[in-house]
Amino acid sequence: MKPFTFLLLFCLFAQWAGAQTVPAKSAPATRTITPAAVDSLKVEYVRTQPDAELWLQPGDRLNVRVKARTGLKVSLWNKHPLPELPAAQNKGEAGVYAGTYVVQPGDKLPNLNVPVLVDDTTDLYPYTVFGTASKVTILNPAQPLYGLTQGKMPYMNYGLGEDRLGGAKMGFLDSLVRVQIIGKSGRDYKIKLSNTLNAYMPVQQVQLEGPTAYPGESLTSSWSVTGDDANGKYDYVRVAVGQRLPYTSYLDVNPSRIIVDIYGAVSNTNWMTLHRTLREVKNVQYQQVASDVYRMIIDLKHPQAWGYSVGYQGTSLVVKIKRQPEKLKLKHLTIAVDAGHGGTSTGATGKTGIPEKEITLKIAKLLQQELQRKGATVLMTREADVTFDTMERVRMLKKAQPDILVSVHVNSSGRPEVQGTSTYYRHLAFRPLSQALYEEVLELDLKEFGNIGGFNFALNAPTEYPNALVETAFASNPEDEQRLINPQFQEDMAQQIRKGLERFLKETRQRK
Ligand SMILES: [Zn+2]
């Protein structure tokens, strides 16, 4: 039987509650489908992996897993076999059928529960059709799909990984950036950045476009590299790219530089004008690193980067670069202090039952006083027991543009013996801040838990200003917790964080 016929059968089936048993050709015409025939197969589940709505392209893998009675013959709609896994290789569980099918050009599944054929190998019925729990669509590569980024802070992830911090983030995008959608997995679209790089974005952050006459790659033009006047805080690199293309960026160290990759851009940059107003940008250059990747390289004057943002003005990409503050003293700077959690987000709790949100607020307020005594301008994310979503905090901070951010939290572990203090950074260029804080906090005679990098914490994600997270100590460790709730310790902790900031500023002044 041709796949087309199966699909027809299946569409019928899809409207039923049960499975469809297909009688053998030789079976008498009077034979009807009996629940017993289906029951005897003992099908517990028929799932795609991941078990979520999927959009696939030719070349993608379709993984299907079935749990049923042992000794059956199971295959996909196109007879691609799903062999029974040996129980020994499957934690002793028999009757699990699994297989991977590579989607071929011409395969068609229009938003369908994938038909899976289960055959009891007797002559009575050749097979019974079951549908996967989730629906699958096979996209037609001849009709590419595009969408525009939308929402408050659209972001891209590397993959579909999930943990309590969310998937590993590749970076944020401006709004109205046109992205090519080449797949979907549950709540995420798969985005094509280049021929060798994909990303994932939450579906609610991409507005699907109708059939688009996509102009293909875009040509870049000349660069304007300029700065604010002498009292300003920023330098700017502008390049017109014709349309809002997706990009990724990062800060490199030794030498200190900003790298921005624009996907789908091709160089027609024939000059770059550097103005005398520049304070932080030392040099600029570009490379066409692949036929569909245009790389901007922006060298900075100072070894310590103070942050940058990337966004569009019209269809010109603008990299806004924060200059190193003129005077590296607390009294000339704005320090953002973030008290972790608050309101309905109570955070970690130890044996005493005192929630993390209370401890972080106390330390943060003491830190605020410490910093104000030194003349710093302090920006608090919260000063009371209020609910303040993490992403909203990030938005607020990006807008406020502090010189430095410190986030204060209390750690927790499933193992009560784990204890100590730790500091965290996401971007390597901001590691010196986290190290300076770590050195000073360790003076409190806390155990070393570590200086931890690449940390996928939302408040460590911004590139706009140096930022670090201090996980003061463990609420889950009785010894640490006793210290955390002690007012004297809270004061000492605030003092050491202030000293850590001063150490960072001093070391930055000394770095050549
Ligand atoms: Zn926390």
Side-chain angles (χ1 to χ4, degrees):
M1 205 177 275
K2 287 172 190 162
F4 182 68
T5 322
F6 280 119
L7 290 181
L8 270 184
L9 277 170
F10 190 74
C11 293
L12 287 169
F13 151 75
Q15 292 167 29
W16 302 353
Q20 165 119 10
T21 299
V22 181
K25 270 184 188 161
S26 57
T30 52
R31 188 179 296 278
T32 53
I33 301 156
T34 61
V38 172
D39 288 352
S40 73
L41 301 172
K42 296 199 162 48
V43 174
E44 277 177 37
Y45 62 75
V46 178
R47 289 181 194 143
T48 55
Q49 283 192 309
D51 182 11
E53 186 192 357
L54 301 175
W55 292 2
L56 303 171
Q57 288 205 123
D60 287 344
R61 288 163 192 277
L62 171 63
N63 303 306
V64 177
R65 201 175 170 91
V66 174
K67 174 76 174 95
R69 166 162 78 71
T70 185
L72 303 173
K73 240 179 89 185
V74 181
S75 65
L76 294 180
W77 80 97
N78 54 9
K79 298 286 177 72
H80 181 81
L82 303 177
E84 185 173 0
L85 302 176
Q89 285 173 29
N90 197 43
K91 295 172 186 164
E93 194 182 4
V96 174
Y97 303 80
T100 296
Y101 173 68
V102 177
V103 175
Q104 299 299 309
D107 281 346
K108 285 193 176 72
L109 283 178
N111 194 26
L112 210 63
N113 305 80
V114 180
V116 173
L117 282 41
V118 179
D119 178 1
D120 70 357
T121 72
T122 67
D123 289 340
L124 206 54
Y125 297 104
Y127 53 79
T128 304
V129 184
F130 293 82
T132 53
S134 308
K135 292 184 173 180
V136 175
T137 295
I138 294 177
L139 301 175
N140 179 1
Q143 290 174 321
L145 263 182
Y146 293 93
L148 296 174
T149 56
Q150 63 176 8
K152 287 168 180 172
M153 276 196 302
Y155 62 87
M156 297 183 289
N157 279 355
Y158 289 100
L160 291 167
E162 272 291 344
D163 61 19
R164 69 187 179 84
L165 296 165
K169 279 188 185 55
M170 211 180 233
F172 295 94
L173 286 178
D174 207 337
S175 55
L176 298 174
V177 171
R178 180 168 284 130
V179 290
Q180 186 181 350
I181 297 160
I182 57 167
K184 182 179 182 179
S185 183
R187 288 170 297 174
D188 293 282
Y189 284 131
K190 186 179 182 182
I191 304 297
K192 177 184 173 177
L193 292 177
S194 77
N195 285 323
T196 54
L197 188 65
N198 298 324
Y200 290 85
M201 293 189 74
V203 294
Q204 72 271 19
Q205 294 189 347
V206 182
Q207 171 75 51
L208 275 178
E209 290 184 290
T212 313
Y214 184 65
E217 66 272 339
S218 286
L219 293 175
T220 65
S221 68
S222 59
W223 293 23
S224 159
V225 189
T226 177
D228 285 336
D229 63 27
N231 300 320
K233 289 184 171 178
Y234 298 93
D235 285 350
Y236 308 86
V237 179
R238 285 190 183 82
V239 57
V241 287
Q243 58 175 316
R244 292 189 171 208
L245 298 171
Y247 51 84
T248 56
S249 68
Y250 69 100
L251 270 170
D252 212 350
V253 296
N254 304 322
S256 175
R257 51 167 53 164
I258 298 163
I259 313 282
V260 182
D261 285 339
I262 311 176
Y263 300 96
V266 171
S267 178
N268 191 35
T269 297
N270 296 321
W271 64 83
M272 304 157 124
T273 308
L274 291 93
H275 293 265
R276 288 184 66 234
T277 47
L278 293 172
R279 292 286 179 279
E280 192 58 52
V281 173
K282 186 161 95 181
N283 276 312
V284 294
Q285 57 180 319
Y286 76 83
Q287 288 171 357
Q288 189 76 45
V289 290
S291 54
D292 51 2
V293 184
Y294 179 84
R295 174 167 296 172
M296 303 169 72
I297 302 165
I298 303 164
D299 285 320
L300 304 178
K301 272 187 190 148
H302 297 97
Q304 176 61 54
W306 285 80
Y308 70 95
S309 63
V310 186
Y312 280 100
Q313 283 173 1
T315 55
S316 287
L317 189 88
V318 180
V319 185
K320 182 177 169 187
I321 299 131
K322 174 85 179 284
R323 296 170 175 173
Q324 174 158 306
E326 199 109 331
K327 290 175 180 153
L328 293 175
K329 291 271 190 187
L330 283 177
K331 64 176 171 186
H332 300 291
L333 301 176
T334 299
I335 311 295
V337 175
D338 171 53
H341 308 277
T344 55
S345 171
T346 51
T349 317
K351 277 206 171 120
T352 66
I354 297 173
E356 175 181 354
K357 65 172 185 176
E358 271 178 36
I359 299 168
T360 59
L361 185 59
K362 282 191 175 142
I363 295 172
K365 283 182 144 178
L366 290 164
L367 176 58
Q368 177 186 29
Q369 288 169 23
E370 278 281 328
L371 294 168
Q372 283 171 342
R373 256 200 300 272
K374 294 283 176 179
T377 304
V378 182
L379 177 74
M380 302 289 284
T381 55
R382 70 177 177 100
E383 290 186 83
D385 182 21
V386 290
T387 306
F388 192 7
D389 176 73
T390 321
M391 289 314 262
E392 289 299 320
R393 290 180 203 220
V394 173
R395 283 185 64 218
M396 179 264 234
L397 288 162
K398 281 184 175 216
K399 219 171 164 184
Q401 302 182 336
D403 294 303
I404 297 173
L405 162 82
V406 183
S407 183
V408 179
H409 277 250
V410 169
N411 221 334
S412 183
S413 167
R415 293 184 301 141
E417 68 274 16
V418 175
Q419 65 179 134
T421 193
S422 45
T423 65
Y424 301 74
Y425 63 94
R426 165 77 176 85
H427 307 291
L428 185 58
F430 300 153
R431 186 176 183 215
L433 171 65
S434 70
Q435 282 175 300
L437 290 164
Y438 193 46
E439 290 303 320
E440 291 298 334
V441 171
L442 279 173
E443 293 291 314
L444 294 174
D445 218 21
L446 289 158
K447 292 236 162 54
E448 270 205 55
F449 189 69
N451 173 236
I452 294 153
F455 196 57
N456 188 32
F457 172 52
L459 274 87
N460 287 139
T463 57
E464 281 83 349
Y465 43 83
N467 55 73
L469 162 68
V470 179
E471 288 279 3
T472 47
F474 279 82
S476 47
N477 174 267
E479 192 190 339
D480 272 13
E481 194 195 13
Q482 280 309 313
R483 301 192 68 184
L484 282 167
I485 60 171
N486 180 341
Q488 183 59 52
F489 177 84
Q490 293 168 355
E491 228 169 273
D492 294 345
M493 176 57 75
Q495 189 175 37
Q496 291 314 112
I497 293 175
R498 186 261 296 160
K499 284 186 184 172
L501 287 164
E502 287 174 331
R503 179 194 275 252
F504 168 68
L505 296 174
K506 187 178 168 206
E507 287 173 353
T508 303
R509 287 196 299 270
Q510 289 165 349
R511 279 170 77 185
K512 283 281 170 296

